[in-house]
Amino acid sequence: MKTIKNVFINFKKYSFLMKQLIIRDFKVKYKRSVLGVLWSILYPLMVMSVMALVFSNMFKFSMEGVNYLVYLMSGLIIWNYFSEATNNSLTAVVGNFSLINKVYIPKYIFPIAKCLFAGINFLFTLIPFFLIVLLSGNSAEGTKCAINIYYLLIPVIFLGALMFTIGIGYFLSTVTVFLRDVLYIWGIVLTMLNYFTPIFYSLTILPVWLQRIFRLNPLYIYINSLREIVIFGNRPTALYILAGLGIGFVTMIIGMIIFRKKQDKFVYYI
Amino acid sequence: MIRINNVSMKFNLGVEKDNSLKQMFIKILSFWKRKKKKKDYFWALKDVSLDIKKGEVVGIVGTNGAGKSTLLKVVSGVYKPTEGSVEVNGKISPMIELGAGFDGELTARENIYLNGAILGYSKEFIDERFEDIVEFSELRDFLDVPVKNFSSGMTAKLAFSISTIVDPEILIVDEILSVGDIKFQEKSKHKMMSMIEGGTTVLYVSHSLESIEKLCTKVIWLDHGKVKMIGDSEKVCGAYYKEIMGREKKRGKKE
């Protein structure tokens, strides 16, 4: 109980540092670029346009009665967030070693700062995303998306995804300290996961037994909940939303426990 | 104020560690061949105990690699001791490596906030003391220049100004009074003296026996991680000087 209280006190005390670290990441990222922070919106928009072009025109992926563009985008924004946040978390501890070795700072701040940084970038991508939701589609084909009351559930989905990513981020930043190979291995894992997550295809094209396995992918849960609301205007079942939250929470706690157990050994390994 | 109980600190030697699969594989292979394992660790600190009371100014002397900086890092919480424990009551301001938190891409202004946050200051506090920091650092004209374009002296001046703006209860200093030009050195010495007179507890590492003798009430002599002598500053400094110069003389005779 006391440690939990301490964590909260520390969290308050160091929230300013966290803010500074995130601001630093932003400033350094867009240093000397003419468009600056605008890239946070433009970059994903352009990458998504390329993907949309490739999958809907070249490979002719399409789904009956479904706004494929929104389908693709909703998968991509969550995927891109996950991929950016975990990639940044890999070096969250290793990359800040010059600090960790010299000044006392609670180390758990670094992975969270990286995930929040990616999270803010993610919020920027929501602007083009919702523009596409509103502007795309064709009412004659029934692919027009409408804003509905269930949009209120979207932040809950994102919260689940954020916690899930923070958990993975903690785990990755810890393992990287002891085993630098993870830097490369994670790239391979991400590529694999990218194809195993139904981002540009629908689960239904897979055999049933494979569908069952794929449904267990937490990223799919978040993406699918978002799609249910945005594309189909359905309310995802409470159980489904709770599952997303629960998985996120448990992952975060496990990641934190691993990080906490190992953090005193970091200084020996860098 | 600070209580160090039988602290030992073990380090692995060398840069190459088992932090890649290749290394692990090699290790397994060499185990097969029953190669004798080399001793690849050493004790940077061995069974160090020390009590520091409020307001005391404690100097630490010793040759390079004697464990002085390690001891400071253990006290400031950067390292967790392998054995033993450290109790600290009071807010610490560590001045171990000045400017450790600087980001070269950011301007001096931005770095003041970043580095202040790293030292645990709040935003309000930095806002309030911003002018003082700028004034002390003598870098007003360079506030919006990225720190990577600063000379090393300028960087050090900025860092010193940020870390001394607080009135800490415990000040940990690792050989930083020789920062900047002569004028700034004088200024930083004054600043230091006024902090000491204000009742701050100080842990001070320096190779300048003169300044240690002048500032400190108590001196510890570390040798290969062990406490060799502890006590009155004049006595310890004298003994330390004699031993070191004695070693030199002996070596001189041999050659």
Side-chain angles (χ1 to χ4, degrees):
Chain A
M1 209 51 215
K2 206 179 152 201
T3 52
I4 295 173
K5 205 178 147 196
N6 274 338
V7 165
F8 273 103
I9 290 172
N10 260 330
F11 202 78
K12 214 179 146 198
K13 187 178 162 199
Y14 285 100
S15 63
F16 175 54
L17 172 59
M18 188 122 74
K19 218 163 96 191
Q20 286 295 319
L21 289 173
I22 295 171
I23 291 173
R24 173 187 72 172
D25 281 350
F26 262 102
K27 281 184 177 151
V28 171
K29 189 170 177 185
Y30 296 118
K31 206 88 191 175
R32 280 174 204 272
S33 69
V34 181
L35 294 177
V37 183
L38 257 185
W39 275 117
S40 279
I41 301 171
L42 278 178
Y43 182 77
L45 186 65
M46 291 185 171
V47 171
M48 287 191 282
S49 310
V50 173
M51 299 279 280
L53 203 73
V54 168
F55 288 113
S56 56
N57 290 6
M58 279 168 66
F59 289 125
K60 303 272 182 218
F61 269 93
S62 71
M63 286 163 214
E64 198 63 27
V66 172
N67 186 333
Y68 183 69
L69 196 59
V70 175
Y71 184 88
L72 179 64
M73 295 295 166
S74 49
L76 270 180
I77 55 168
I78 290 186
W79 170 261
N80 282 346
Y81 162 67
F82 177 74
S83 140
E84 190 192 347
T86 50
N87 259 328
N88 290 346
S89 302
L90 277 174
T91 54
V93 171
V94 182
N96 282 304
F97 179 63
S98 60
L99 264 182
I100 289 170
N101 192 29
K102 281 161 193 159
V103 194
Y104 173 75
I105 305 174
K107 302 172 192 63
Y108 64 82
I109 277 186
F110 295 107
I112 286 204
K114 292 288 179 199
C115 289
L116 289 180
F117 171 64
I120 293 169
N121 262 330
F122 166 75
L123 292 181
F124 279 121
T125 63
L126 288 181
I127 300 170
F129 172 68
F130 282 115
L131 276 179
I132 288 168
V133 169
L134 289 175
L135 298 176
S136 72
N138 184 330
S139 29
E141 290 170 20
T143 55
K144 196 92 191 146
C145 305
I147 290 179
N148 52 63
I149 182 85
Y150 306 128
Y151 269 53
L152 294 175
L153 282 172
I154 292 180
V156 182
I157 300 171
F158 290 166
L159 180 67
L162 178 71
M163 290 195 294
F164 177 68
T165 323
I166 289 175
I168 302 282
Y170 270 125
F171 174 72
L172 288 175
S173 60
T174 309
V175 182
T176 312
V177 174
F178 303 102
L179 210 67
R180 296 295 148 83
D181 308 58
V182 176
L183 288 173
Y184 309 101
I185 295 171
W186 186 245
I188 301 163
V189 172
L190 268 185
T191 315
M192 235 161 62
L193 254 180
N194 188 7
Y195 288 108
F196 289 171
T197 309
I199 295 171
F200 53 85
Y201 59 89
S202 162
L203 254 193
T204 49
I205 62 169
L206 298 171
V208 177
W209 65 272
L210 211 57
Q211 282 187 32
R212 282 208 193 103
I213 299 173
F214 274 39
R215 271 181 214 285
L216 297 176
N217 178 354
L219 286 173
Y220 177 70
I221 295 182
Y222 303 124
I223 293 174
N224 199 32
S225 317
L226 182 65
R227 281 175 179 161
E228 283 292 324
I229 294 171
V230 174
I231 301 177
F232 305 105
N234 292 339
R235 180 174 66 86
T237 59
L239 196 69
Y240 205 60
I241 294 275
L242 284 179
L245 265 183
I247 291 172
F249 186 71
V250 170
T251 312
M252 183 170 81
I253 296 297
I254 292 176
M256 281 178 164
I257 290 173
I258 293 173
F259 189 86
R260 209 187 138 85
K261 278 219 157 131
K262 292 288 177 192
Q263 63 176 351
D264 290 333
K265 296 218 169 75
F266 287 173
V267 288
Y268 301 117
Y269 281 88
I270 308 192
Chain B
M1 202 82 187
I2 303 174
R3 176 166 289 176
I4 302 169
N5 304 316
N6 308 91
V7 161
S8 297
M9 190 75 206
K10 189 168 90 171
F11 277 107
N12 298 322
L13 272 179
V15 196
E16 288 293 318
K17 293 197 199 83
D18 301 335
N19 48 4
S20 75
L21 288 176
K22 193 184 90 186
Q23 290 294 324
M24 252 184 203
F25 193 65
I26 290 171
K27 205 174 140 195
I28 293 167
L29 281 183
S30 52
F31 179 73
W32 237 350
K33 285 184 196 158
R34 299 205 174 180
K35 246 186 202 163
K36 214 179 156 195
K37 217 179 147 201
K38 244 183 7 205
K39 191 181 138 193
D40 51 1
Y41 59 87
F42 85 112
W43 293 91
L45 291 175
K46 191 83 188 136
D47 202 21
V48 174
S49 292
L50 180 65
D51 257 319
I52 301 174
K53 289 182 205 72
K54 191 170 161 33
E56 269 189 317
V57 180
V58 179
I60 306 174
V61 294
T63 49
N64 290 128
K68 303 186 295 292
S69 297
T70 308
L71 184 61
L72 293 192
K73 283 183 179 180
V74 168
V75 173
S76 60
V78 174
Y79 294 156
K80 200 174 176 191
T82 317
E83 286 163 19
S85 65
V86 179
E87 293 162 46
V88 178
N89 294 310
K91 171 138 183 56
I92 295 188
S93 175
M95 285 196 260
I96 297 180
E97 301 251 358
L98 286 175
F102 280 167
D103 193 305
E105 295 292 332
L106 301 184
T107 65
R109 185 191 302 276
E110 291 161 343
N111 266 313
I112 289 178
Y113 279 91
L114 176 62
N115 209 20
I118 285 166
L119 293 173
Y121 309 165
S122 68
K123 176 164 190 312
E124 295 72 37
F125 182 80
I126 304 173
D127 282 339
E128 202 179 289
R129 309 299 285 270
F130 189 83
E131 276 305 306
D132 300 342
I133 296 173
V134 176
E135 190 61 45
F136 196 85
S137 68
E138 304 166 351
L139 293 168
R140 190 175 296 280
D141 299 338
F142 304 96
L143 263 184
D144 294 303
V145 177
V147 165
K148 66 176 173 192
N149 297 336
F150 276 23
S151 74
S152 54
M154 285 159 80
T155 317
K157 271 156 76 168
L158 183 63
F160 185 91
S161 312
I162 298 171
S163 38
T164 50
I165 204 69
V166 275
D167 303 310
E169 291 165 289
I170 301 165
L171 186 65
I172 293 185
V173 186
D174 192 353
E175 196 94 63
I176 52 158
L177 288 183
S178 46
V179 151
D181 45 40
I182 299 178
K183 190 174 145 228
F184 194 80
Q185 279 181 26
E186 279 306 310
K187 219 164 86 174
S188 49
K189 243 175 231 165
H190 270 289
K191 176 91 193 174
M192 202 68 156
M193 288 304 284
S194 75
M195 280 175 137
I196 290 171
E197 277 156 18
T200 308
T201 309
V202 183
L203 253 177
Y204 179 45
V205 164
S206 178
H207 286 291
S208 155
L209 292 181
E210 191 194 341
S211 72
I212 288 220
E213 255 179 79
K214 209 167 80 189
L215 292 173
C216 302
T217 47
K218 187 161 130 188
V219 173
I220 319 162
W221 173 5
L222 282 181
D223 187 48
H224 291 97
K226 290 185 192 118
V227 178
K228 182 138 183 180
M229 201 170 168
I230 193 165
D232 177 61
S233 63
E234 242 168 82
K235 219 173 81 195
V236 178
C237 284
Y240 173 66
Y241 185 77
K242 235 164 120 187
E243 159 109 8
I244 298 300
M245 294 325 270
R247 275 190 217 164
E248 286 299 311
K249 261 183 204 155
K250 264 184 216 159
R251 204 179 294 159
K253 267 180 198 165
K254 263 185 203 166
E255 277 168 15

